Amino acid sequence: GQSLEQPSEVTAVEGAIVQINCTYQTSGFYGLSWYQQHDGGAPTFLSYNALDGLEETGRFSSFLSRSDSYGYLLLQELQMKDSASYFCAPLGGSQGNLIFGKGTKLSVKP
Amino acid sequence: DAGVIQSPRHEVTEMGQEVTLRCKPISGHDYLFWYRQTMMRGLELLIYFNNNVPIDDSGMPEDRFSAKMPNASFSTLKIQPSEPRDSAVYFCASSPYRVANTGELFFGEGSRLTVL
């Protein structure tokens, strides 16, 4: 079967660091993507980890451990505009397509 | 370059009516996906096409749903007859490559469907 776990909500203050954890179970795992979605908007791609380790893109970093079926998204120097939902999306199944869930709603407070 | 274009952005209809959602993928993208997003179930893959051919429609909820891609620049998702439980935001997304290669999809702004 397949499963996906990430916290439903996270709150942090401006300037802080927040980590959103993700555990997954899927057949045929290819990698782990992260997407951001603002209220009323479209999901937008943030990062993709095909191999174990840390990928850094500006204030955002994403980590993957294939052996632990675990990943996280690290957001540094939080800004108000980072308030959004964040989806971890493993690529799995026979087709290697993205598997989304309900995401984590991040609220950044002043 | 224009992104993925969906229409209508908002649709309100009554139960039993036919609904047609439209999508124009980014030019040159060979893969097209239809997703549905609800609070209860999150973002779910309904169907995807490669070079206009449906590859996997296992996510289509039932026979009331159908999708077509008559050419590389146009796809439709049709619901007939519609029911209140079909109320959701429907997203179309496209990709130039097999998504497992890059993990990246380009999403349209979505069509918010309300069935009364």
Side-chain angles (χ1 to χ4, degrees):
Chain A
Q2 68 189 27
S3 65
L4 185 60
E5 294 280 341
Q6 58 179 121
S8 58
E9 293 183 23
V10 173
T11 301
V13 297
E14 219 173 354
I17 299 172
V18 72
Q19 179 173 312
I20 299 174
N21 296 319
C22 171
T23 57
Y24 57 85
Q25 181 180 336
T26 179
S27 58
F29 179 76
Y30 294 83
L32 186 69
S33 285
W34 288 90
Y35 282 74
Q36 178 190 62
Q37 185 181 30
H38 287 98
D39 283 348
T44 56
F45 174 79
L46 290 177
S47 67
Y48 176 56
N49 293 66
L51 303 175
D52 285 0
L54 191 68
E55 295 278 344
E56 298 181 58
T57 309
R59 294 187 297 113
F60 294 2
S61 303
S62 58
F63 172 83
L64 173 66
S65 169
R66 296 173 72 107
S67 60
D68 295 323
S69 298
Y70 165 75
Y72 66 73
L73 180 69
L74 190 73
L75 299 86
Q76 302 183 73
E77 300 172 21
L78 281 173
Q79 302 176 9
M80 298 297 290
K81 67 178 181 179
D82 297 330
S83 291
S85 290
Y86 292 84
F87 294 84
C88 85
L91 287 91
S94 61
Q95 308 290 331
N97 284 322
L98 289 160
I99 302 165
F100 291 92
K102 298 180 183 179
T104 297
K105 186 173 179 63
L106 172 65
S107 299
V108 180
K109 307 291 187 186
Chain B
D1 196 11
V4 175
I5 299 172
Q6 293 187 242
S7 66
R9 292 294 313 278
H10 301 274
E11 174 95 1
V12 180
T13 191
E14 293 189 346
M15 184 173 63
Q17 297 298 305
E18 178 179 293
V19 173
T20 299
L21 308 178
R22 298 171 177 80
C23 174
K24 176 179 168 57
I26 295 172
S27 177
H29 283 198
D30 292 334
Y31 293 83
L32 183 140
F33 301 75
W34 283 99
Y35 281 86
R36 178 173 67 175
Q37 186 173 34
T38 61
M39 292 289 290
M40 289 296 293
R41 300 175 67 88
L43 197 57
E44 304 173 281
L45 176 63
L46 299 178
I47 185 172
Y48 86 97
F49 296 82
N50 177 212
N51 291 323
N52 313 338
V53 176
I55 303 299
D56 184 358
D57 66 354
S58 59
M60 295 286 261
E62 48 199 272
D63 292 345
R64 297 184 298 106
F65 285 68
S66 63
K68 294 182 180 179
M69 192 164 185
N71 58 62
S73 58
F74 184 65
S75 177
T76 59
L77 178 67
K78 187 173 293 187
I79 309 172
Q80 166 63 17
S82 59
E83 297 183 1
R85 59 189 168 132
D86 302 331
S87 297
V89 181
Y90 291 81
F91 286 101
C92 176
S94 70
S95 172
Y97 313 111
R98 184 166 168 261
V99 70
N101 293 349
T102 65
E104 182 173 12
L105 282 181
F106 298 81
F107 282 82
E109 291 298 314
S111 294
R112 180 174 295 275
L113 173 65
T114 302
V115 184
L116 302 175

